[in-house]
């Protein structure tokens, strides 16, 4: 049965596998970039970013030598910015430790920031044809259906890794892993899998039991918290706006933003903005009209940003709770990397 699963999958892949730009490459750097971009982002979004990235940072050394702000700017819009910071740090480490050559040993790859077992397996199998299994979100779903897993995948991770390893075709690990990812992305999709066209339908237990839409079982998740944030677009007399750079550690670290903070219970948006700006920057402002309200959902919480035009009154701005602050004009603001929710504020400023 295992050899039939291998052969049928490889046969299917060679006939209808996706033609993706990184598939042609055997350069571990290029494959690494694609693997990291694909971690949380869909293929069609990734392709233009991937191509621009390789034009801007064609080698590991070029990435290592870049300024972090350039790296974050190139990533702007892809989200999960820790991925970009980790790529940058890992490139610097590879230059120092391996003379700029991406390592080809599992332990060395796993030691790089931002690389877990499935990403390491994906890179080493694609670049060097090493027989290492993978288990990303798509593969978990396919394998869970193949064996009609009776529990959510997170409860059976060891079993799923074992299955991925057992099935892997050690003669063709590169193609096998790529094929498995394609199966999950194109036929064995989360909703309405296309089992009629699937090379594994003969052996797939979920399909044969008619439960493919109920597997994998969903993880039970608590509802995500909702944060209400007052945000200030602070203008001075020279038509400049005050922006700050978030601390390196934590969500969106190293990106620029408009200052502000969380509403306290019973507080008005205006009072929140005045208090936060005093605490964060040590200055006095007056709060004017609402510019825009922005809703944004991250993985673990949702935010609503109440954004107001504000006027600088007095005090020397200081980076009390951020890394850096700057007065910039609207024309200059595009040089700075901002998170998606803040990009909407910039667009609103341009059209206001
Ligand atoms: S038969 Fe259906 S459920 Fe099973 S692996 Fe194929 S697409 Fe997925």
């Amino acid at each position: 049965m295992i050899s039939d699963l291998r052969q049928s999958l490889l046969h299917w892949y060679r006939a209808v596998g996706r033609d993706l730009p990184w598939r042609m490459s055997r350069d571990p750097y290029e494959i690494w970039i694609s693997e990291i971009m694909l971690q949380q982002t869909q293929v069609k979004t990734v392709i233009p970013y991937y191509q621009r990235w390789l034009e801007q940072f064609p080698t590991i050394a070029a990435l290592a030598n870049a300024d972090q702000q350039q790296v974050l700017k190139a990533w702007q819009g892809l989200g999960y910015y820790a991925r970009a910071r980790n790529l940058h740090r890992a490139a610097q480490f590879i230059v120092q430790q391996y003379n700029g050559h991406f390592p080809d040993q599992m332990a060395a790859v796993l030691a790089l920031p931002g690389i877990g077992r499935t990403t390491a397996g994906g890179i080493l199998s694609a670049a060097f044809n090493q027989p290492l299994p993978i288990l990303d979100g798509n593969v978990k779903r396919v394998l869970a259906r193949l064996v009609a897993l009776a529990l959510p995948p997170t409860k059976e991770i060891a079993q799923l890794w074992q299955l991925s390893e057992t099935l892997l075709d050690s003669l063709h690990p590169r193609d096998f892993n790529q094929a498995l990812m394609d199966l999950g992305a194109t036929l064995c999709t989360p909703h309405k899998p296309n089992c009629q066209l699937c090379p594994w339908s003969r052996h797939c237990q979920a399909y044969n039991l008619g439960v493919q839409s109920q597997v994998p079982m969903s993880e039970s998740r608590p509802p995500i918290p909702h944060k209400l944030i007052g945000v200030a677009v602070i203008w001075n007399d020279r038509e400049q706006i005050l922006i700050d750079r978030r601390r390196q550690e934590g969500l969106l670290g190293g990106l620029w933003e408009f200052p502000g903070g969380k509403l306290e219970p019973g507080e008005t948006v205006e009072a929140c903005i005045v208090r936060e700006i005093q605490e964060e920057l040590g200055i006095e402002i007056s709060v004017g009209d609402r510019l825009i309200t922005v809703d944004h959902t991250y993985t673990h919480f949702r935010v609503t940003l109440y954004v107001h035009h504000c006027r600088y009154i007095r005090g020397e701005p200081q980076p009390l709770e951020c890394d850096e602050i700057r007065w910039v004009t609207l024309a200059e603001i595009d040089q700075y990397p901002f998170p998606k929710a803040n990009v909407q504020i910039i667009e609103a400023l341009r059209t206001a």
Side-chain angles (χ1 to χ4, degrees):
M1 173 176 145
I2 289 181
S3 92
D4 191 43
L5 285 169
R6 287 176 185 155
Q7 279 176 20
S8 57
L9 183 63
L10 286 171
H11 187 260
W12 170 82
Y13 173 68
R14 284 168 187 152
V16 297
R18 290 176 298 174
D19 186 14
L20 302 172
W22 43 88
R23 288 258 164 95
M24 299 297 109
S25 177
R26 297 290 177 264
D27 178 342
Y29 169 61
E30 296 181 5
I31 292 164
W32 172 38
I33 298 302
S34 73
E35 285 279 339
I36 300 295
M37 287 184 171
L38 289 165
Q39 275 174 0
Q40 322 272 356
T41 312
Q42 297 205 333
V43 164
K44 69 174 188 310
T45 309
V46 162
I47 289 174
Y49 276 91
Y50 171 80
Q51 287 164 336
R52 280 197 303 269
W53 183 281
L54 292 181
E55 278 164 27
Q56 195 174 353
F57 312 116
T59 61
I60 294 178
L63 176 58
N65 289 332
D67 184 74
Q68 191 199 48
Q69 293 295 291
Q70 286 174 282
V71 175
L72 291 172
K73 189 73 196 167
W75 198 268
Q76 183 172 299
L78 274 180
Y80 300 95
Y81 289 85
R83 295 184 292 170
R85 292 193 301 274
N86 283 333
L87 277 174
H88 191 218
R89 279 173 47 221
Q92 291 170 337
F93 185 80
I94 294 169
V95 166
Q96 284 158 15
Q97 295 292 318
Y98 306 114
N99 209 15
H101 298 291
F102 196 92
D104 62 1
Q105 298 295 315
M106 184 66 166
V109 176
L110 278 176
L112 297 171
I115 298 192
R117 184 174 172 193
T118 191
T119 303
I123 298 169
L124 292 174
S125 62
F128 305 111
N129 212 19
Q130 291 184 18
L132 293 164
I134 54 168
L135 191 64
D136 67 7
N138 280 338
V139 176
K140 275 183 209 159
R141 182 174 59 255
V142 175
L143 299 184
R145 285 173 173 165
L146 182 65
V147 297
L149 197 69
L151 289 170
T154 49
K155 300 259 185 329
E156 294 286 3
I157 285 296
Q159 186 194 335
L160 291 171
W161 270 113
Q162 183 62 51
L163 185 57
S164 185
E165 194 162 0
T166 306
L167 290 173
L168 179 66
D169 186 334
S170 59
L171 295 177
H172 308 98
R174 172 188 292 132
D175 284 356
F176 184 87
N177 281 343
Q178 300 295 321
L180 203 48
M181 288 192 265
D182 272 16
L183 186 61
T186 63
L187 295 184
C188 198
T189 48
H191 306 289
K192 297 203 185 122
N194 195 343
C195 304
Q196 308 302 326
L197 296 181
C198 178
W200 279 3
S201 57
R202 208 156 67 86
H203 298 293
C204 174
Q205 292 190 30
Y207 176 58
N208 288 304
L209 293 168
V211 295
Q212 64 273 29
S213 299
Q214 287 127 58
V215 179
M217 289 179 62
S218 56
E219 320 282 343
S220 50
R221 287 209 187 120
I224 60 172
H226 182 194
K227 300 180 187 179
L228 308 178
I229 313 278
V231 175
V233 175
I234 306 170
W235 296 93
N236 66 13
D237 290 340
R238 290 187 289 161
E239 290 299 295
Q240 291 170 313
I241 303 166
L242 195 58
I243 58 173
D244 69 78
R245 188 156 61 88
R246 292 174 69 94
R247 295 219 161 117
Q248 284 291 321
E249 57 281 356
L251 184 77
L252 311 174
L255 293 173
W256 291 81
E257 65 175 6
F258 298 94
K262 257 193 289 181
L263 262 76
E264 291 185 348
E267 195 175 37
T268 63
V269 171
E270 286 82 356
C272 161
I273 291 176
V274 168
R275 176 182 55 72
E276 285 286 344
I277 298 310
Q278 184 66 51
E279 288 170 8
E280 259 185 51
L281 305 170
I283 58 170
E284 203 177 312
I285 57 165
S286 63
V287 180
D289 291 343
R290 172 86 47 91
L291 167 68
I292 186 176
T293 304
V294 180
D295 274 307
H296 194 73
T297 305
Y298 294 95
T299 319
H300 301 296
F301 62 94
R302 190 154 75 85
V303 290
T304 300
L305 308 180
Y306 301 104
V307 187
H308 280 248
H309 285 290
C310 299
R311 183 119 319 259
Y312 167 77
I313 300 178
R314 67 178 70 84
E316 183 59 33
Q318 304 155 56
L320 299 175
E321 294 181 6
C322 56
D323 272 356
E324 197 181 339
I325 45 182
R326 236 172 246 192
W327 287 106
V328 295
T329 63
L330 208 44
E332 294 163 341
I333 213 161
D334 278 340
Q335 298 159 19
Y336 299 87
F338 280 86
K340 215 183 215 158
N342 276 231
V343 171
Q344 285 187 54
I345 301 175
I346 295 170
E347 282 164 10
L349 280 167
R350 292 241 156 82
T351 53

